[in-house]
Each structure stands twice: as structure tokens, then as C-alpha cells.
Amino acid sequence: MTLILAAAHQAGWLGQAIDLSVEWLLANAQGLFDLIKVSVLALVSVTEMVLEWPPAWLFALITAALGFWRVNGGFALFVLLGFNLVLAMALWSEMIATLSLVLTASSLALLIGLPLGILSARSRLVWRLVRPCLDLMQTMPAFVYLIPAVMLFSTGAVPSILATLIFAMPPVVRLTHLGIVQVPDDLIEAGRSFGCSDRQLLWKVQMPNAVPTVMTGVNQTIMLSLSMVVIASMIGGGGLGDVVLRGIQQLDVGMGFEGGIAVVILAVILDRLSQSFAGRRGSSLQQRLRAWIALWRSS
Amino acid sequence: MQSEISIKSVWKLFGRSSAELVEQLRSGADPEELHASRGVRAAVQDVSLEVRAGEIFVVMGLSGSGKSTLLRMLNGLISPCEGEVTVKGCSLNSMTAQQLAELRRHQMAMVFQSFALFPHRSVLENAAFGLEVAGMPRKARIDRAMQALERVGLAAEARKRPRELSGGMQQRVGLARALALDPPILLMDEAFSALDPLIRKDMQDLLLDLQAEHRRTVVFISHDLDEAIRIGDRIALMQDGRLLQCDTAQRLLHHPANDEVKRFFRDVDVASVLTVEAIVQPPPHLSVCDVGEPLPDEGGVTMYVTDRLQHFRGLIRPGLGWVDMAAIKTLSTGTSVKAAIDVVATSAEPVPVLDDDKRLLGVISTRQLLLAMEAGD
């Protein structure tokens, strides 16, 4: 099978160059990769430990309470019923594993993406460099990231998280940049006229005004993380993706759907909760729509 | 009076400007042509002005006349291509960014046409913004901001968000944000232009009240001549980036430098601009008497009587004798001619005009009133 594929298509000169550079990295920067591997592994293990600590009923209650506070009663009910279904399908520990992968990957993506977005908004040069990278990251088929991730970090949670990180980072960078850039000129002028330094302008005028847009980016990053984490089960990421993958491999429609439904439940809960932090309650959908329209216009 | 802000032959070109282009304009090149051929717009051309401490200085012109650009050069938001802006004796040209920020924090505050309030801050936090930027501790700046809000009558709205307020109230917040800093200089960029006429008048009154309490130097941009005349101690008229004339409203009206200035004032209600002291005439017959009741004069004319220090005491009507000033209608300085019409028309003799110390400046007759109003048209 592999032989036939190799005969049908040999990597071209560009592919060979990329092969070579990955090999060079493997040969010369193994220490760095080991360090990254260990720290990401530690991070995801701690996250998983924390999430696994409460029993399922307590976890569901806490999430429902959060949902009641941030969204509404109907959503809290959905959380309880949804988690109940996951438990009934015996997919609880898989869901927790997926959740910890998502949380680790998206918090790393935010840790890098937010400062990068701010920097892009403040310097035209940085934006000119960052923008094509973001385009590349967003349009490259998600599966492609899996190959170098496996080569550099072998299989397991760490390459899954890193591939997810790259896939999920663009929205938060883009929307942070957009949010800051689209702050009305008269507010900037007002800030300047009262003697703001560049730093004061950023933290007292631009960032507070950009928060709804930035939070939309955060929401998108979390959602993309979830979709990528499922795909990353192909390289041993584990969790709900595994269930779906097994369903495909064994042509077991029922199993595939069970995994799929659990992913959907998790997605809805993550989406509504992260959205609720995007601004005023109740208007977040409209706000999100507006931010997206603005985003497409700008790019 | 010392000048607080001075502008010396300032030029500002937008687009790809250069010293050579300024030179071309200076030697009489047509700005329109330059705009068409080089894409350069001459916003401010060779403007020189002195703003005195404590006056309301109105820069008046139609949109596109360069007045807003001129205002932004006063606090360095826009820097001139050529020329110099000096505030309290310090040239802005040589200031570092840090010095400029300090100048904006302590010397001048700006009020905007679009209000430019921060939507994420409460009214109180908006008012405290300037103090926060200047690094004042939280407690102190909240107190100061609250005082400023009280002064503009918005203490009750302190916890609200700006968008919950009406336009007029929002601009009061904008004014409070500037006042909280207690700056010696206020820059107001068409501050009242976006408001309804009635609210606008209220805001003008508020500004005049504030000036009466504590005189600041106010540079006020406006495209509304009535507003300029109402609040301005002096008015600078601008057109197409050039300064046409700078003087008091009365002098602009009576001694226009050119036809463009005249055109501005064509539709102005002269009677509301002119004040009585501009048309006052010396009394035809004057007698000085310090005490007691002066003797009736036999000449058959109205005699105006003052003491030796020119304080008005009363007058002698022919055939009727002495009338004390308490029984006579008088006009005080600063009254508009319009407001004087009624008094003058219903008075038997020319009406005496008194200054604040009740000294007799002269009299106004019906004839003079009519002549003055005719001269303006």
C-alpha cells in the first residue's frame, strides 16, 4: 500500500526541502523539542487532573451553575441533560480528556495570540509579516500539521496540542488586531489630547474598546481547538476523537454517532460559555455576527 | 494683556508636503491647482494669531476652512509644516513627546464635537479620565471628577454609561472631563455644534457662567456666527485655510477688512451684535453739581447732571424741573442695541448710558439708534 502510494507520487523539490529542514531540526534541536514536550505534557496532565478531580455529578452542577449565571436557566438545563447523556453513553472520561486538550491548546494559543495581535495592531511591519502567516495557517488543510508534529514529538497528547495550537491561533490574532484597529478615531484623539502615552492609550482606550471583538476571537479559537482536537485523535490525541475514529475504522455507525454527539454537546457548552464573556449578555450573537462581517471586510 | 497662546505664520499641508511647496504657496501659487496637480491640500496657510489669557477666542469659519486643524496644532495633535506655536511662552516645536504629554495633562483640555466619550467607562470614570492619565490617585481623582460633574449638573448620572444620556448631557460629561483637570486653557472643537439650538444655548450659558466664576483661556471653534458673537470676546475669521480678520465682533462688523468678512456678516442681526457703548454720544447739555437740587435751567433744554466724579445724579427737564436718577430709565454698558430699542423708544429724552460704577458715559437718542442700525445693513 505505502509502496504504491510512494510510486504514484514522490515529494517535489519543495517537499524535499521541508523534509530536510524537519530532519535538520530533529538532528540539531532535539533538546528544545524535549523541553517543549515535557512542559506541554505537564500542563495537560495538570489540567486533566484538575478536571478529573470532581465526580461527574459535581462537575455537571458546577458547569450548570456557571451557565445559569452567565447565560440563562434554559442553558443550565441543557448542560445537565447533555452531561447526563454523555454519562449514559459511558463517554465521560473521554470527554474530560478532550476538554483538557482543548483548554490546554486554546490557553496556549491565547498566550501567544493575544500579545501577537496587540503587537500587530501597534506596528504595521509586524502585521505585514504576521498576516501571510495567519493566511497560511488558516488555509492549510488541518491534517498537514499532524505530519511534522508526529515527526518532532512522536504521537500522543503533545503533538495533538501543538498542531491544535497552530490551527486555532489565527482568529484570536486577527480579531485582537481588528478590535484595536477599529477603535474610533475620535476616541484615540480624545485619549491623546488628555496626554496619554502610547502605553496608556493601549490599556485605557484601545483595549477596553476592543474587548468584545477580542472575546469573539477567543471564542473562535476555543471552537477551532475543539474541532482540531477531534482530528488529532489520528495521532493519538485520545478522548472523544478516538471514539469517532474507532467508529470509522470499524464502520460502527452507532459508536461514531455517540462520539459525535458528545463532541456537539461539549461544543455547545464551550461556545455559549465563552461567548457569554464577549460583552453584554443577550446581544452576543449579534455582536459576533458584526465582528465577523467586519473581519471579512478587513481581510 | 499677555498672550497665552501665540501662533506665528503657521502652515499645514496634508498629503506629500514639502518646504518647497510652502514656498510656492507663499509666492502666490493657487492652492486649488496644487491640490489637483500634486495631491496636496493646504489646510492652514500662513496664520498668525495671539490668544490672550482669560479670553474666549472664537475661530470661526465654514467647514474646510482649516479651523479644526488649527486647533489641533495648539496641543500638538497635529504639528505644523512651518511656523511656530507657543503656549505660555514654550514653543511646541522643540518639545519631546513626554513634554507634550505633560503639557496636555496639565495646561489644556479638549472638548469634542462628537463628544468622544469612552463607552466602556461610566460617566464618573469618563470625567476622571484626564486625572487618571496624569497619575492622580483614585480617591482624589474621583472626588475631583465628582465636583466637575456637580458643576455641570450631572452628579445624579455619575454611575450611568454615556450612551444612556442625551446629546446635551453627553456633552456636559465631555465638558466635565475637561474641567476636572482644572486646566488654564480649554480647547473646544465645535463643542456645541451637534446639539439642538435650545440645548446649545444652555451650554453657551454654562460656558459663560464658568468664565464668570473663573476665567480660563478658551479657544472655541465654531461655524455658527451667532454663537461666535454670543460667546466670543474676539473672533478670528478663517476661509480656505487663511485668516481673514481677527477682532471683536463689533469691530469686524464696523471695520471689515475685506468683502469676504462683510459677506460673513451680511445676514447678521446688527442690533444684537452692537452694544450701547458703541453708539453712545456725549450728552448735549451737561451740568456738574455735587450736592442738593440743581436750579432749573431757563434754556428750554434737557440738562444731564453728574457729580464731579461723573457719577450720574439725574436730569432737569425743561419746564418740569429736577428728576432724580431713581425715576429715570437708564442703560448699562454691555446691553445690546436690540435690548435698548424699547427703552429708547419709550423715553421722552435721550437715554443716559451708565457704566458699572454708575458713571455717565453719554446718551443714546432715537436718531442715533436708527442710524446705527442702518449702517449695518
Side-chain angles (χ1 to χ4, degrees), chain A residues 80-96:
Chain A
L80 288 177
L81 291 177
F83 278 168
N84 217 10
L85 187 58
V86 172
L87 263 178
M89 293 188 294
L91 291 176
W92 185 262
S93 64
E94 282 86 351
M95 191 195 72
I96 293 294

Side-chain angles (χ1 to χ4, degrees), chain B residues 1 5-6 14 25 34 52 74 81 100 110 117 152 157 166 175 192 220 268 303 307 312 321 359 365:
Chain B
M1 230 187 286
I5 302 171
S6 105
F14 287 115
L25 282 168
L34 216 58
R52 297 169 193 153
L74 301 186
C81 296
L100 210 53
M110 198 160 166
L117 299 176
V152 299
E157 326 289 334
S166 66
L175 193 56
F192 307 151
F220 195 106
V268 170
M303 183 73 75
D307 65 15
F312 184 58
R359 273 193 289 262
S365 64

Side-chain angles (χ1 to χ4, degrees), chain B residues 110-362:
Chain B
M110 198 160 166
V111 183
F112 296 85
Q113 177 177 16
S114 62
F115 317 142
L117 299 176
F118 302 114
H120 59 279
R121 288 166 170 259
S122 70
V123 165
L124 184 63
E125 286 164 344
N126 262 288
F129 180 78
L131 300 168
E132 184 184 325
V133 169
M136 184 182 271
R138 189 181 162 75
K139 179 86 181 63
R141 70 173 186 251
I142 291 296
D143 285 351
R144 282 268 291 273
M146 203 61 207
Q147 280 168 20
L149 283 178
E150 268 161 26
R151 184 58 197 87
V152 299
L154 279 185
E157 326 289 334
R159 300 274 156 223
K160 287 190 181 160
R161 298 271 153 173
R163 64 169 174 272
E164 297 171 60
L165 305 182
S166 66
M169 285 161 111
Q170 288 192 30
Q171 193 56 303
R172 279 170 195 264
V173 180
L175 193 56
R177 180 172 64 178
L179 289 175
L181 283 167
D182 197 20
I185 301 171
L186 267 183
L187 305 177
M188 308 188 70
D189 182 21
E190 303 233 15
F192 307 151
S193 299
L195 305 175
D196 300 336
L198 278 177
I199 311 277
R200 192 184 313 167
K201 190 167 171 300
D202 283 349
M203 292 297 283
Q204 290 166 359
D205 288 339
L206 176 61
L207 181 66
L208 291 173
D209 282 353
L210 286 168
Q211 276 302 92
E213 282 166 23
H214 175 64
R215 288 197 83 80
R216 297 171 211 278
T217 308
V218 180
V219 181
F220 195 106
I221 303 289
S222 180
H223 63 240
D224 176 358
L225 190 59
D226 291 328
E227 180 171 72
I229 290 166
R230 190 150 184 267
I231 63 174
D233 292 315
R234 286 193 306 148
I235 300 173
L237 279 178
M238 281 187 74
Q239 189 176 327
D240 300 331
R242 292 187 177 278
L243 179 69
L244 294 178
Q245 193 177 355
C246 170
D247 217 321
T248 61
Q250 291 201 32
R251 285 190 54 83
L252 288 175
L253 187 59
H254 274 259
H255 308 281
N258 48 41
D259 289 344
E260 273 118 348
V261 177
K262 249 184 233 166
R263 256 220 327 269
F264 266 109
F265 281 84
R266 199 172 43 199
D267 299 326
V268 170
D269 182 9
V270 178
S272 58
V273 178
L274 279 183
T275 53
V276 285
E277 58 263 42
I279 58 168
V280 77
Q281 297 277 316
H285 304 281
L286 183 68
S287 126
V288 176
C289 173
D290 272 344
V291 282
E293 212 171 279
L295 289 172
D297 191 80
E298 304 301 321
V301 293
T302 304
M303 183 73 75
Y304 293 83
V305 182
T306 67
D307 65 15
R308 249 177 309 185
L309 295 171
Q310 293 176 341
H311 292 109
F312 184 58
R313 294 192 59 215
L315 51 76
I316 303 163
R317 288 194 175 127
L320 294 168
W322 170 245
V323 190
D324 190 76
M325 75 173 279
I328 300 168
K329 281 184 197 156
T330 59
L331 291 166
S332 53
T333 53
T335 313
S336 72
V337 168
K338 196 175 194 171
I341 291 174
D342 191 41
V343 181
V344 175
T346 55
S347 165
E349 63 278 315
V351 180
V353 177
L354 309 183
D355 69 8
D356 294 342
D357 296 328
K358 303 284 175 215
R359 273 193 289 262
L360 182 66
L361 291 177

Side-chain angles (χ1 to χ4, degrees), chain A residues 186 189 192 195 200 204, chain B residues 72 104-105 114 120 132-133:
Chain A
D186 60 342
E189 197 171 47
R192 285 237 176 271
Q200 285 174 321
K204 291 185 193 299
Chain B
R72 281 160 178 71
R104 291 174 190 157
R105 285 172 194 170
S114 62
H120 59 279
E132 184 184 325
V133 169

